Every structure is written in C-alpha cells, then in structure tokens.
Amino acid sequence: MRKWKIALGTAVALGAISVASVQLLDMGNISLIAGTAGAAPAPAAFVMPVPVANVVKKTIPIYLDYAARTEPIRSITLQARVPGYLQEQTAQDGADVRQGDLLYKISPDDFQAALDQAKAQVQRDTATLDYARSNLGRGTELAKSGYLDKDSFDQRTSTLRGAQASLALNQAAVRTAELNLSYAEIHAPFPGRLGRNQASVGTLVSVAGTVLNTLVQLDPIYVTFNPSETDLAQIEEARAAGPIEVEVLLPGETEAHQKGELTFIDNTIDHSTGTITARATIGNAKFTLLPGQYVRVRLHVKQQPDALLVPQVALGSSQLGKYLYVVGKGNTVDQRLVSLGPTSGDMVAILSGVAEGDQVITGNLQKIGPGMPISPLPQKPAT
C-alpha cells in the first residue's frame, strides 16, 4: 500500500512538471512572435549619388598646337661710326627706349673743330668766287671793246670755274664734318630695349670696332615654330580662306593673352625632320614676351560645327580605350566606348559613342560600375 502511494505521488509530480514546461514553452513562443511582429524592416540597398552633365552640341574652333620660340624682329649691336672718347651713357642698362632717343655721346670737340674749319674754307672760297665772277664780267666788257685779248679772257673764265669747284669741294667738306659731328651722338634707330653696357665712360672707341651695347625690338615680336608636312595642307587651306590667327601661351598658362597672325612659311621642308619653318608676328605691348623664350602656339585653322561636347573629367580609360559612364534606363550605369575629337577648354568633342542630350557621369567614377543603380544629382546652372 505504501509503495502504491509513493508511485502515485511520483506520477502526479511528473505531470505537474510537464504542464509547467508546456506553459513556459507557449509563453516563449508568444514572446518570440510578439518580438518578431514589432521589429523594423531591413534597410534598403545604398544608391550612389553622382554628378552628371548633359552632352551638348555646339560649334568649336579647331586649333593646331606647336612648341615655339620667340625671336626679335630687329636686333642690332650698337657701335660708333666715328672714333673718340666715350663721354656719356644717357640711357641706363636695360632701359626701354623710343626711336630717336639719345643713348651714348662721344666727345664732339674734334668734330666741331673740323666743322668750323670747313665752314671757314667755304667762306674763303665764296669770296674768291665773287671776285672771279666780277673779274670775268669786267673782262667780258673789255673783250667786246677790244681792250682784252682772248687769252686773258680765257684765264679769267678758268679762274671762275676753279673758284666754283673749290667752293663745291669745301661745301661737301662741311656736310662731312656735320655728319661726323652728328655721329658723336648715338641714337636709337628703332624702339626697343637696351642690354648690358659693354664700354665704360672714357673708353676710346674705334669705328665699328668697339661694341657699346645691344638693342632689340620687343613689340611686335616673332614666334617661330615648325609644323609637320602633314599639317601643311591644312594650314595652306586655312591661309587661302583668310589670315590665320595665332595664340601664344606661356609655360603654365591655359588661356592665351597674346595673339597675332601667321606671316611667314618657308619655301623648303627639312627632309631630316619632315617639318617646315613658320613664323607668326605677335603684338607685345606689355613686353611679356622676350626673345629666346620657349612658348606654345595655337593656330586657329577652322570651325567645327555640331560638335558633341562633354567635360574632360568624365573620361575614363581601360584596355579597350576611352569610355564614358552614361545614365541608362532606370538610373543605372551604362558604359560607352567613345572616340575623341579636338578639345575646347575643359570640354572634349566626342566623335562616336554618345548622342546629344545624353547625361554623362562626371564624378565618383571610381566607385561605380556598369549596371549599378545611381542617383543623378541636379546639375548646377552655368555661370
């Protein structure tokens, strides 16, 4: 009887434990279901925002670019035309001078004395000529009345002609002395810039022997370059249509500040390089260009209408060539292989691969790829 009661108690205890377990399990399921129902939805996939620009169609200028070097139109060495002691340098080294400005003075004393002597001889010969002319006049009257023989008359005639010749000779000597005196002052034959002085004041200078200085013309100035023979036909075609405008860019410049005109093309092609020498004349009023500078020139040879332009920053490169990322259907990335044309500022012409009105992606190019979803950013208005 005792054993039966123990077994019955054990069974009741086990049943209670089972019921409690089922109740706990149900409560856990209810809590899990309630927690699941109140959870937030999973976040959406990230879409890359990208700046875009429209493909535009416009007429652009076509340029030919070359490396070039500046040269002076005129450059001379200043030397004396008469000997003497250098008395004064009136223009400082490196000065910008105008045509006719006084640059150097040579001591004029000797030349002034020679001029005074020549003028005195002219005065003497003038008096001699006047006497000979009067003497011949009297002789003419005497010869008509028979009081003067023919030989005496011929002598008076000869004396008159000799006086005339002597006067002409000394008048030429006066002009020579005046020239020599004027050569004692050295003036600028054209506007330009002086170099470094090479003869100190007090130096005894000789005729065409002592170098005083150099003078170069800066405005306008030549820019010489060498187009290839393959470009020559295009240049000649442009010349036939009118003057070719030439722009000059200094190292580091992206926009030209000096412009001029193509004025010379040589008559022979260099067979060793396949190039020809050409030259442009450039206005240089501010003296920005100096002879011997290396620059770049751009020849405006024609206009290209209806060019499709995109920003150069939108271009990418791969083993297949240049490409653009274009906004495709559903705002996804579409990769287009393109062929390039000439550039115009920060824009480049596209010969094939895009159409007018397409939107090209101009930023975040390293973070996107073909087929990726994107969010095009609004374009900023042009300034």
Side-chain angles (χ1 to χ4, degrees), residues 136-207:
L136 179 60
R138 291 190 297 270
T140 301
E141 297 298 329
L142 293 174
K144 289 180 180 179
S145 60
Y147 291 102
L148 184 67
D149 60 277
K150 188 176 185 309
D151 182 66
S152 298
F153 179 79
D154 291 343
Q155 287 181 1
R156 296 186 182 193
T157 302
S158 177
T159 300
L160 175 64
R161 291 177 178 174
Q164 290 173 334
S166 180
L167 178 60
L169 179 63
N170 286 316
Q171 286 174 337
V174 168
R175 290 193 294 271
T176 300
E178 289 174 342
L179 284 175
N180 289 336
L181 181 60
S182 68
Y183 293 156
E185 293 184 346
I186 300 174
H187 296 263
F190 53 81
R193 177 172 294 178
L194 283 175
R196 180 175 57 86
N197 179 51
Q198 301 182 45
S200 301
V201 172
T203 301
L204 178 61
V205 298
S206 58
V207 177

Side-chain angles (χ1 to χ4, degrees), residues 297-350:
V297 295
R298 298 193 306 183
L299 276 65
H300 183 197
V301 292
K302 63 179 179 180
Q303 297 284 109
Q304 179 175 327
D306 299 331
L308 298 177
L309 300 178
V310 301
Q312 295 190 47
V313 295
L315 288 172
S317 298
S318 68
Q319 294 180 347
L320 299 178
K322 297 291 184 180
Y323 65 84
L324 291 170
Y325 283 144
V326 180
V327 178
K329 294 182 178 180
N331 284 344
T332 58
V333 177
D334 185 11
Q335 186 179 33
R336 307 269 186 91
L337 293 176
V338 295
S339 57
L340 305 182
T343 60
S344 178
D346 59 354
M347 307 289 281
V348 60
I350 305 299

Side-chain angles (χ1 to χ4, degrees), residues 206-276:
S206 58
V207 177
T210 305
V211 175
L212 304 179
N213 210 323
T214 57
L215 178 66
V216 296
Q217 180 177 338
L218 298 181
D219 182 30
I221 195 169
Y222 284 147
V223 176
T224 302
F225 53 99
N226 299 96
S228 65
E229 57 182 325
T230 55
D231 292 340
L232 184 58
Q234 192 173 1
I235 294 174
E236 291 293 355
E237 181 180 354
R239 287 184 76 190
I244 297 180
E245 183 183 72
V246 179
E247 298 179 352
V248 178
L249 291 89
L250 294 172
E253 285 187 343
T254 57
E255 184 176 348
H257 295 91
Q258 276 98 2
K259 296 183 180 181
E261 182 181 331
L262 180 67
T263 52
F264 169 77
I265 294 180
D266 208 351
N267 56 5
T268 305
I269 293 176
D270 187 343
H271 67 276
S272 62
T273 61
T275 61
I276 191 169

Side-chain angles (χ1 to χ4, degrees), residues 83-98:
Y85 286 97
L86 189 62
Q87 186 180 66
E88 184 181 1
Q89 177 188 352
T90 58
Q92 298 300 317
D93 293 359
D96 294 321
V97 298
R98 296 170 296 179

Side-chain angles (χ1 to χ4, degrees), residues 27-59:
M27 290 296 294
N29 289 337
I30 293 172
S31 299
L32 180 61
I33 293 171
T36 302
F46 176 72
V47 178
M48 176 66 67
V50 293
V52 296
N54 288 331
V55 178
V56 296
K57 180 184 291 187
K58 61 184 294 187
T59 299

Side-chain angles (χ1 to χ4, degrees), residues 39-88:
F46 176 72
V47 178
M48 176 66 67
V50 293
V52 296
N54 288 331
V55 178
V56 296
K57 180 184 291 187
K58 61 184 294 187
T59 299
I60 61 172
I62 302 300
Y63 294 99
L64 297 177
D65 290 3
Y66 303 101
R69 192 169 186 174
T70 56
E71 296 179 355
I73 292 180
R74 288 183 286 184
S75 176
I76 63 169
T77 299
L78 296 175
Q79 293 177 294
R81 299 181 66 174
V82 292
Y85 286 97
L86 189 62
Q87 186 180 66
E88 184 181 1

